Amino acid sequence: MQAFQLAPRLVVNITIDQLRSDYVEAFSPLFNQDGFRKLMQEGKVYETASYPFKPVTQPAAIATIATGSIPYYHGIVSPQWLDRNTLRQIYCVDDNRYGDSPANLKTSTVSDEMKISSAGSSIVYSIAADKSSAILSAGHAADNAIWFDSTRRKWQTSPYYGASPRWLNNGIFSHDINNDDIATKASEIVNKTSMGTDDITDMLSVTLSATSSDDAVGNWQNRMQSVYTKLDNTLGNLVKSIEKTIGKEHVIFVITSTGAETDEDNNYALYRVPTGTFYINRTANLLNVYISAIYGQGNYVEAVFGNQIFLNHKLIEQKRLSLHDVENRCKEIISQSAGVSNVYTSEQLLAGGNDDIKKTRNAFSPNISGDIVIDVTPGWKLLNENTQETYTSRLAVIPFPIIIYGMGIKAERITTPVTVDRIAPTIAKSIRIRAPNACESIPLF
């Protein structure tokens, strides 16, 4: 008879912003024995992971890891979006009552399900440099979410989670925090909260970064080499510290990337690579003139945000026009603009379609997204002259791994592509609890 496999006492969910497989491989000869090298050799490694939606932003990625779902359901489409009623910008963890909270996260997280299944006995904490990563990875029912307040130069929490722990701050930081500071505080959380000391599974979520600071010196290769060797050392120390405290046989580590990418300004024109700039606010103004000529004068385009155009629903209703017709008129004229590869209406996205449409639809939320979504041609830049916000379109996906290491995990390399929304149900299965309530994905194993 097969022995009954106990659940882990602690799950450590480590998300590394902009971690890349090619950089891990390139700098692997420089790694020590306790970091990436051990994780890659002794863990179950999914070499090619991706997100089932586009574009990918850090908050949307964090929410997807936590919920096993997509922005269409969990509601975190980007770091900020427009409130349709006020046309004011909302940050993804804004809360009128508490200042910051997971109120905009519409679904349960795997740690929420842990709390529910244990009648509140599971200990759940998260830590990150920024509040959105801390709060979204913590979920609704966590004991606390901790991040760094760069103004006060202290660790910070939200009153949503209750009073700040007494041990939270031992002083004011004289420097901007780095991965080592986050890892040190993560180890302190495990010790201070007595995580992993009983058979009820606890969870710690940690967000680190694989990016270089603005003041980093040297060429690209030297900067990235420094980043990844330091990150490797940080990971090794964190894993070693937690294993020493909890016991390797009682903890599971899950490591992956946000999949997000910094928008480096490549000067394509200098090297005669086809490029251009799509001015979305100019396009919106011309679009309004065009629609007014068809349906009569009015402010049909209400706002522009990111790569989306918001139509004036009240005006369209007052004029007794069909939103379907207006959206398709807009699509028709925008599609003729230079630098545009695809234009989607909200109706089209809600209906679904091929894989490309589905990925865009998965990042769309009917209540907060615009009526028209524009994809610019790869290599082109989308620019909003009013806000100076810009990004360059790229179709290439940068690969990153999912590494699962620790209790009962057999070393294995899997080359079959997988998606990150399968992490939450995998964790849930290992603890034998329900997957989050909007999770449709199957466990990785």
Side-chain angles (χ1 to χ4, degrees), residues 41-110:
Q41 289 177 351
E42 299 181 23
K44 188 181 289 287
V45 181
Y46 296 85
E47 296 181 348
T48 308
S50 64
Y51 284 83
F53 57 90
K54 68 172 188 177
V56 178
T57 62
Q58 183 174 339
I62 295 287
T64 293
I65 293 168
T67 65
S69 186
I70 53 177
Y72 184 86
Y73 293 115
H74 64 58
I76 306 299
V77 296
S78 59
Q80 56 274 322
W81 53 79
L82 289 185
D83 183 317
R84 272 195 172 272
N85 296 320
T86 64
L87 297 183
R88 292 182 178 178
Q89 187 170 299
I90 294 176
Y91 190 61
C92 59
V93 291
D94 279 351
D95 186 298
N96 292 333
R97 180 178 177 183
Y98 295 103
D100 306 294
S101 86
N104 294 321
L105 186 63
K106 297 178 181 178
T107 66
S108 72
T109 65
V110 67

Side-chain angles (χ1 to χ4, degrees), residues 303-319:
V304 168
F305 190 81
N307 66 332
Q308 301 178 9
I309 292 176
F310 292 74
L311 299 178
N312 189 335
H313 287 204
K314 289 184 179 179
L315 177 63
I316 292 171
E317 290 175 4
Q318 288 173 359
K319 288 181 172 287

Side-chain angles (χ1 to χ4, degrees), residues 62 125-139 144-147 161 205 207:
I62 295 287
Y125 272 79
S126 72
I127 182 166
D130 63 288
K131 62 184 177 182
S132 65
S133 296
I135 290 172
L136 296 172
S137 59
N144 225 316
I146 298 170
W147 66 91
Y161 296 103
S205 294
T207 305

